Each structure stands twice: as structure tokens, then as C-alpha cells.
Amino acid sequence: MRDPYEVLGVPRGASPANIKSAFRKLAKKLHPDANKSDPKTAARFSELNAAYEILGDDAKRKAFDRGEIDAEGKPRFQGFEGVQPGGGFGQEGGFETFTWGPQGPQRGGRAGGGNFRGFGGVDDILKEMLGGFGGRGRAGGGVHFETDDFAGAAQGRDVTATLTVTLGEVAKGGSRRVHLPTGKEVEVKIPVGIADGQQIRLKGQGLAGPRGGAGDALITVTVARHPLFEREGANLRIDVSVTLYEAVLGGKVRVPTIDGAVELAIPPGTSSGRIFRVKGKGLPSKQGQGDLLANIRIALPEGDDNELDELMRKWRAQKPYDPRRDMS
């Protein structure tokens, strides 16, 4: 994956506000719901979401800047216990050797380049040791092996993959094609109301074992951030900007929801920060349909307005009030 700063188009010293603004701008442009005729957009949107998952989180961003995690948020390789500074494949002192005796594996000296026979995991070592024993054997005169000890490996292994879905897919369900590490491409059904981080298990779609049985495919779902909505369980939260006169005099404003816009009545004298609940306009869940929580924010007009300035000066002089009196 590309550098998340490059994906979002921001410099490394960008402020959190600039990062969020860049994400929202690109998310509106690349959102799959707005680009249904372009299949490549879904991949770009997924990349954008992954980049914001790192840069939008202060701890993850610092870890990435320090080189502790990569562009996918995975820990970077920090070395191996057997490798020593200056060591390596075919170099003197590069790897430790092990011998097998009555007490099990014993750490020996360091193997030079001429003695290095390859580098594998524990499974590879055990397979090599058991190769000539026909399933049951004795190594070094003291350790016994049973074929049943390795039955789990013989039955096949699970594989993992990730899938990024939109809030629209969470609300209505759907299906996606997912490419598995096995090389197969499978159709994955997206359950309605699926949560971020939840796994979908596909039986028998993993790696096949020596006995013919196959493991499962575990698909971890990531719910992409929406440019307008924040998810809180089954509820959705949205910031709604209103004019100063709408807040003072009241009025009706159109508010987007996950399945179309609705009209929201703003009572006269509405303060910024007041939250209105729109019933049933959230996400489905086992407990029922969630709600939409509309957070009111008063937006002043852009540019200078001498009449508004003069009105506020008169208001300040004739009708002063302290909205922070309860904070002292």
C-alpha cells in the first residue's frame, strides 16, 4: 500500500484538522455509492479509508512516523532472535544451531555459511525430522512422535483476508468478490448491520491438508468511514450546519440520512450543540433500527458583514449575557 500521506495528499506536518478535511473531500469524490459505474473506485476508496485509519488516529500516526508500523498498520519486522548484528545467510556467526537429544531441542553454537541448510518454521523442522520415521519413530533415542500429534495440520489450514464495506452496505447488505490467499476469488455476502472488525467465516475455503480436508476462510470486515456520518453502534451521528437566522428564528432544514434526505424542524432559539434525534434513520441491529443524531452547528456567513457587526455591538451593549456562567 502507498504511503498514507501520499494517499491523502497531505504533507507529513499536516494538522489533524487538515487531514480530516482532506479525507472528507476525497471520500465524497471516491465513495462507491457515487461511482457505481467505475469498479476501480472501490479499491481507491478502500485505500483512502486505510490511510485515514492511520493518520486519523494520533497514536497510530505517531507509530507510523516512528517507523513502528507500516502503511497497512502492521508492525514492522524488528529482527529475529537468532540473527546477530553483522550476521546473515552464509556469514559466520549468523544463525544459531539446534540439536535434538533425549531432553528435546538444545541450542548449540552458531552456524557459519558452510553449515547453513535453510531457514524454516517449526512445522518445517518437525516435518524434516519425521520424514524417515513413517509416522511413529524415535529421535535421539529419547523422544517419541505420534501421527495424531499433527492431525490438525493434516486437516488443512484457515486463511485470512480483509474486506472494506460502506455504511450503505451495512444498512442494506449486499455481496462482494474477495480474492483469497489461496488464489481463489469467492462471493462474500455482507450481513445487514455487520460491525467493524467482525469476521465472516467461509467453510472449506481455506488450504487443503494432506488428508483432503480444507480449512476455512476468515474474512475480517472493516467499515469505511463516511464523509458525513459517524457510527455509534446502531445510531448514526451527523453535524448539521444552520444559519444564524435559522437558529434564532427557527425553520426547516434538509438533513441527509443513509437512505435519503429528511426535513428537520429547528425550533426558534436553537443553540449550537443541540442534538435532535431522528427515529429509525440509523442502522439495523438485533435490538432494532437505530436513530440519526443531528448535532446543530451555527455557521456564520463568510467574509465581512458590517451590518452584522453593528447589530452584535448593539446587542452586546444592550442585552449582555454569559453562556459560561456555570463553568466558573
Side-chain angles (χ1 to χ4, degrees):
M1 178 178 161
R2 290 188 295 155
D3 186 300
Y5 289 100
E6 179 183 343
V7 175
L8 287 170
V10 296
R12 287 188 171 267
S15 67
N18 288 340
I19 289 174
K20 186 174 184 178
S21 176
F23 167 74
R24 287 190 168 184
K25 182 178 179 180
L26 289 172
K28 289 180 181 179
K29 178 182 177 182
L30 300 175
H31 200 279
D33 290 346
N35 298 273
K36 296 180 180 179
S37 61
D38 185 3
K40 294 182 180 179
T41 305
R44 294 177 63 191
F45 183 76
S46 177
E47 181 183 49
L48 175 68
N49 185 65
Y52 189 61
E53 284 292 331
I54 293 177
L55 299 189
D57 183 293
D58 185 59
K60 289 182 181 179
R61 181 183 180 184
K62 289 179 179 178
F64 176 78
D65 290 343
R66 291 194 297 265
E68 296 172 0
I69 61 175
D70 61 18
E72 296 180 355
K74 298 177 181 177
R76 291 186 183 275
F77 182 72
Q78 298 295 329
F80 186 78
E81 181 182 0
V83 179
Q84 300 299 320
F89 292 95
Q91 295 180 342
E92 184 66 22
F95 292 86
E96 292 182 323
T97 60
F98 296 85
T99 59
W100 196 276
Q103 284 74 42
Q106 304 294 320
R107 177 172 290 170
R110 302 202 175 273
N115 294 327
F116 182 72
R117 299 181 55 210
F119 181 69
V122 174
D123 288 345
D124 295 329
I125 296 172
L126 293 175
K127 286 179 182 178
E128 181 179 353
M129 292 172 55
L130 292 173
F133 296 147
R136 176 193 289 262
R138 182 181 298 271
V143 180
H144 297 274
F145 298 93
E146 301 287 346
T147 54
D148 292 342
D149 294 338
F150 306 95
Q155 296 301 319
R157 293 185 180 179
D158 295 342
V159 298
T160 60
T162 59
L163 172 63
T164 299
V165 302
T166 66
L167 272 179
E169 289 171 318
V170 173
K172 300 178 181 179
S175 63
R176 286 281 196 91
R177 302 290 295 179
V178 176
H179 190 78
L180 299 178
T182 60
K184 292 189 294 186
E185 191 174 72
V186 296
E187 190 87 6
V188 178
K189 291 185 178 180
I190 303 169
V192 172
I194 192 167
D196 188 72
Q198 190 172 337
Q199 284 190 331
I200 300 173
R201 180 182 292 270
L202 304 179
K203 289 287 188 180
Q205 294 294 340
L207 294 172
R211 297 179 182 176
D216 302 333
L218 303 177
I219 314 297
T220 301
V221 174
T222 297
V223 180
R225 295 196 183 205
H226 195 280
L228 297 177
F229 303 110
E230 289 288 339
R231 185 180 186 180
E232 295 181 357
N235 294 331
L236 294 176
R237 183 179 292 271
I238 185 173
D239 290 337
V240 179
S241 296
V242 300
T243 63
L244 181 60
Y245 51 83
E246 285 172 329
V248 174
L249 304 176
K252 291 185 178 181
V253 297
R254 288 182 64 79
V255 177
T257 74
I258 200 68
D259 59 357
V262 297
E263 274 200 342
L264 179 65
I266 305 296
T270 295
S271 296
S272 187
R274 184 172 177 180
I275 297 175
F276 293 90
R277 182 181 296 269
V278 184
K279 299 289 288 185
K281 289 300 182 179
L283 298 173
S285 69
K286 293 180 180 179
Q287 290 73 37
Q289 192 77 13
D291 302 327
L292 177 68
L293 307 177
N295 180 35
I296 300 300
R297 292 184 179 275
I298 297 175
L300 296 178
E302 296 182 0
D304 296 331
D305 188 322
N306 293 331
E307 291 184 10
L308 179 60
D309 293 346
E310 182 61 27
L311 176 62
M312 290 299 101
R313 278 190 285 268
K314 290 181 179 179
W315 189 280
R316 181 176 60 188
Q318 299 173 6
K319 298 183 179 181
Y321 69 102
D322 184 6
R324 299 173 296 277
R325 60 184 179 276
D326 294 334
M327 298 178 63
S328 58

